[in-house]
Amino acid sequence: MEGEYDFLFKIVLIGDAGVGKTSIVRRYTDGVFTSAGIPTIGVDFCIKTLSVNGSAIKLQIWDTAGQERFRTITQSYYRSADAIVLVYDIGSATTFRNLPEWLSEVDRYAGTTVHKILIGNKSDRTDREIQTHLGSQFAQENDMPFLETSAKSADNIDNLFEQLAKTLRDTH
Ligand code: GDP
Ligand code: MG
């Protein structure tokens, strides 16, 4: 029946402004991409239900909706997260260098059992500043899985959320 599910997981996207968090969520939930830039939307989260090994998994996906620009992401935003998606832009070394700062926020505010995944977004870019092996290495050092995605081409976007749903399903 509509609205029924076996598991509900809260997923939170973090990372510098402009890395493509909103675009990733839009691509996954609406199947669209816009290069014009995406204004802060009036809702806090999107919902998507998918099926994993016969279980209906409902994902509540939280986007930071502009707060990251002012570093005012609050403790409550992290607290109830089942998974954190930490995003950088493969075409911006700055967004990669800021990752440790984001991780320390996660350590400070998220629960100890939170699942983390590292995402190098904008893999379609030809002006890459961060090679894949650097992302992979950082993820390994911090005990996270790693994927490069493109909200523009849709590369690995479904895979990202399916992988998360599977992992969360297996650990709950
Ligand atoms: P946010 O601030 O992290 O939410 O980033 P946005 O989703 O608003 O995206 C910032 C800019 O990057 C926008 O102009 C997007 O169109 C662009 N963008 C987002 N994802 C991609 C991608 O995968 N590839 C490319 N080339 N541009 C992207
Ligand atoms: Mg955004």
Side-chain angles (χ1 to χ4, degrees), residues 15-24 33-38 63 68-69 121-125 149-153:
D16 283 8
V19 297
K21 300 179 297 298
T22 302
S23 299
I24 289 170
F33 173 77
T34 161
S35 56
I38 297 160
D63 185 11
E68 77 277 33
R69 291 177 198 280
N121 189 45
K122 309 197 189 181
S123 61
D124 60 280
R125 284 183 72 159
T149 61
S150 169
K152 186 175 183 178
S153 75

Side-chain angles (χ1 to χ4, degrees), residues 10 12-14 62-64 73-79 81:
K10 179 177 169 184
V12 166
L13 282 87
I14 59 171
W62 289 68
D63 185 11
T64 34
I73 298 171
T74 51
Q75 187 171 350
S76 60
Y77 188 76
Y78 290 100
R79 205 165 36 210

Side-chain angles (χ1 to χ4, degrees), residues 16 88-89 91-99 129-130:
D16 283 8
Y88 67 94
D89 171 356
S92 163
T94 305
T95 68
F96 183 74
R97 273 197 299 271
N98 285 339
L99 291 175
E129 288 187 357
I130 300 298

Side-chain angles (χ1 to χ4, degrees), residues 31-49:
V32 296
F33 173 77
T34 161
S35 56
I38 297 160
T40 302
I41 43 174
V43 294
D44 291 317
F45 61 85
C46 293
I47 294 279
K48 181 118 169 180
T49 304

